[in-house]
Amino acid sequence: MLARPVDFMESALSLAGLALGYTSPNPAVGAVVVRDGVVVGLGYTQPPGSVHAEVMALHQAGDRAQGATMYVTLEPCCRQGRTPPCTKAITDAGISEVHMALLDPNPLVSGRGLKQLEEAGINTFIGDHEEKAREVNEGYIKFITTGLPFVIAKFAMSLDGKIATQNGDSKWISGDEARNFVHYLRHIVDAVMVGANTVVVDDPQLSARGCSGKGGKTRLQPLRVIVDGRGRTPLSARLFAEPGKTLVAVAKPFDAKKAEALRKAGAEVVEVTAEGDTMDLAELLSMLGKRQVTSVLVEGGNTLFGSLFDSGLVDKVLAFVSPIIIGGDGAKSAVGGHGVGVVAEALRLERAKISEFGEDVLVSGYLGGK
């Protein structure tokens, strides 16, 4: 049986995956240096202010980089930031050929890195595994082109579409494998968002636990964002005892005494424009973008999901479906809000995929061509 040829760009993408959760607001990039068919250098983006993937791979390759080929998941940077431009490091190392999965959409870079390499006489190729490269950096791409975070709606539901029983019990609809994957998702995003009712009913921790370090108390945690117009979040909520920061978004104007009590509990309180009980979630997302939050994992509940979908603010859906039937006219479905009037107007996932997590099935996809 013939051995499968090595896909060097696939290897670079695997390396980029190791950087997810540690590089924001920078992209997560992987790089592989190959000489005479042998890998001589591997690298992935280090935390902001440290070395980029290309430089890490070149350091490992050393003199063997001369005349070698580099496979990199994103166009090398071409400007002086907190670190020198990668295009110069590549040129100085004597790399003869560079394969890029994707051009960097950053307006300060896009196409300029490619041009610098070509002007230095380096052969360049673009587009290898482009779709996968986009997926790895979908949060960065949305943020760098719009200033807004990439919004992921994640929920678990029964086969009949329920997220809890009519008595409010939801532990646990999904199995261990699915829940472990959610901790990985919390590990790679910048923020986790829920509505106040989810905190009142479920008392979640909303922290990344496990995941090779980020879940530990000495590592960064995703920002916890509670959408709580009326300030119903209990001061005894477990999430206040978790490592990391909590932000409570309340309706403007907000009661000063309630705000102070939330601050004493450990939260930052921000006021958001609201009309009745409906908060301006686009304004909230814009606030988060200004804080360099590139991605938000929304975990419920029904009302928050409804508002986000009605406003067209969701970029990606991750829906776990468990092979159970809950029933009950009063049991909530995953998405509330106004919805659509006819099925023909229903939001449809694009590039939909189906994956298995134990007995559960994950349906994932993107909305509105995103």
Side-chain angles (χ1 to χ4, degrees), residues 51-311:
V51 298
H52 290 187
E54 300 93 323
V55 173
M56 185 178 180
L58 290 171
H59 282 168
Q60 190 177 99
D63 293 341
R64 294 172 295 177
Q66 184 73 39
T69 298
M70 174 177 282
Y71 296 82
V72 61
T73 59
L74 189 70
E75 177 185 11
C77 65
C78 56
R79 64 190 185 92
Q80 177 71 46
R82 283 183 284 188
T83 59
C86 289
T87 49
K88 185 177 187 305
I90 292 169
T91 302
D92 290 348
I95 292 288
S96 64
E97 187 172 294
V98 176
H99 294 252
M100 310 167 216
L102 182 69
L103 287 180
D104 190 338
N106 185 339
L108 298 175
V109 178
S110 189
R112 293 179 176 85
L114 170 68
K115 184 178 180 182
Q116 285 187 10
L117 294 176
E118 289 178 337
E119 288 176 346
I122 297 173
N123 294 322
T124 59
F125 302 86
I126 306 169
D128 188 6
H129 291 288
E130 180 178 351
E131 183 176 345
K132 178 61 177 176
R134 286 186 179 278
E135 184 178 350
V136 169
N137 276 309
E138 56 197 10
Y140 165 76
I141 292 170
K142 168 84 178 289
F143 173 75
I144 205 66
T145 55
T146 68
L148 297 171
F150 186 83
V151 178
I152 306 166
K154 187 280 300 179
F155 50 85
M157 63 184 185
S158 63
L159 201 57
D160 56 336
K162 308 295 187 181
I163 59 171
T165 68
Q166 54 190 354
N167 297 324
D169 179 57
S170 61
K171 292 182 175 60
W172 296 99
I173 289 178
S174 57
D176 289 343
E177 290 187 32
R179 295 202 302 277
N180 287 338
F181 182 67
V182 171
H183 283 292
Y184 165 72
L185 294 173
R186 292 178 184 175
H187 166 78
I188 65 173
V189 298
D190 290 344
V192 176
M193 179 184 290
V194 296
N197 196 59
T198 296
V199 179
V200 171
V201 174
D202 295 339
D203 195 18
Q205 293 167 270
L206 299 183
S207 55
R209 301 186 289 281
C211 302
S212 300
K214 188 176 178 182
K217 293 185 181 295
T218 60
R219 294 298 184 104
L220 293 175
Q221 285 285 336
L223 173 67
R224 294 180 289 274
V225 180
I226 306 171
V227 181
D228 185 7
R230 291 176 287 170
R232 295 190 299 122
T233 299
L235 301 179
S236 60
R238 289 196 300 167
L239 54 84
F240 289 126
E242 289 293 303
K245 297 180 180 180
T246 300
L247 183 151
V248 180
V250 298
K252 183 191 300 182
F254 189 66
D255 183 270
K257 288 185 177 179
K258 282 188 176 181
E260 182 59 25
L262 286 167
R263 291 188 185 101
K264 286 183 178 179
E268 177 186 358
V269 179
V270 297
E271 294 189 5
V272 178
T273 304
E275 186 173 335
D277 288 336
T278 304
M279 296 179 65
D280 189 336
L281 297 178
E283 180 183 308
L284 175 58
L285 291 172
S286 179
M287 284 184 183
L288 294 175
K290 290 174 181 176
R291 294 167 180 247
Q292 294 194 310
V293 171
T294 67
S295 54
V296 178
L297 177 68
V298 185
E299 297 198 32
N302 168 284
T303 301
L304 178 58
F305 279 138
S307 296
L308 288 167
F309 280 107
D310 285 344
S311 302

Side-chain angles (χ1 to χ4, degrees), residues 6-21:
V6 176
D7 188 327
F8 296 117
M9 186 62 79
E10 194 172 84
S11 298
L13 286 164
S14 295
L15 289 166
L18 296 176
L20 284 172

